[in-house]
Amino acid sequence: MTKGKDFEISEELLAKAQTMADDQTKFLDGTNEINPNWIKAQGYVLDQVKITQELNTTIEVAKKKLSIIAEETQALKDTQNNTYHSGILKYNNELVSIAQTSPNIKLNIAIGLILGLMIGVFYVFAKEWWKNSKDDIKTRWNQYK
């Protein structure tokens, strides 16, 4: 697999930067001062190295994504009975029945009767509690007078 034009250009620029940096002397003539052009050349080399590494990382990520896509494509080809799956998504390619449905009247009546009885019993208990609590409050109030 080729790395691409961008990567090739980056490698050429890196080689030129290293050649340019090698041509520069580290110190100025006869002094211990560092040559500013040498510092610039070294900085340019480091920039080109960074760009090359970023491009290499991008290429590696793209290769991994491509291999994942190839695996998923192969898995789709290998499936049988028109069942497709891909990690998270699973579905079956079957014909769906469009037969008309109707409510289950007997079941609905049974549920309604049970709920009606429960509400009736709750109402009786609540009414009796309310009546007794009024009498209890009056008795306690009269007790402290």
Side-chain angles (χ1 to χ4, degrees), residues 17 23-24 48-49 88 90 112 127 134 145:
D23 291 344
Q24 296 290 328
Q48 291 304 316
V49 167
I88 299 170
K90 271 191 170 180
K127 188 175 178 182
K134 276 201 262 182
K145 277 188 172 181

Side-chain angles (χ1 to χ4, degrees), residues 1 56-72:
M1 175 178 253
N56 200 16
T57 303
T58 304
I59 290 169
E60 291 300 318
V61 168
K63 283 181 183 178
K64 288 193 185 240
K65 287 181 180 179
L66 187 61
S67 69
I68 290 171
I69 291 171
E71 287 173 8
E72 295 225 354

Side-chain angles (χ1 to χ4, degrees), residues 89-100:
L89 180 64
K90 271 191 170 180
Y91 61 93
N92 197 349
N93 192 10
E94 294 178 355
L95 294 176
V96 178
S97 174
I98 53 173
Q100 193 173 15

Side-chain angles (χ1 to χ4, degrees), residues 29-104:
D29 293 334
T31 63
N32 284 339
E33 290 184 37
I34 295 179
N35 186 358
N37 291 332
W38 180 82
I39 293 173
K40 287 181 187 177
Q42 294 299 322
Y44 187 68
V45 168
L46 291 176
D47 288 342
Q48 291 304 316
V49 167
K50 180 181 173 189
I51 290 170
T52 304
Q53 288 174 346
E54 287 173 355
L55 286 172
N56 200 16
T57 303
T58 304
I59 290 169
E60 291 300 318
V61 168
K63 283 181 183 178
K64 288 193 185 240
K65 287 181 180 179
L66 187 61
S67 69
I68 290 171
I69 291 171
E71 287 173 8
E72 295 225 354
T73 304
Q74 187 61 36
L76 284 173
K77 288 179 182 178
D78 291 343
T79 57
Q80 297 174 0
N81 298 332
N82 294 330
T83 303
Y84 302 97
H85 59 85
S86 166
I88 299 170
L89 180 64
K90 271 191 170 180
Y91 61 93
N92 197 349
N93 192 10
E94 294 178 355
L95 294 176
V96 178
S97 174
I98 53 173
Q100 193 173 15
T101 60
S102 61
N104 191 346

Side-chain angles (χ1 to χ4, degrees), residues 103-113:
N104 191 346
I105 295 174
K106 291 179 183 177
L107 180 64
N108 289 346
I109 290 173
I111 291 172
L113 285 174

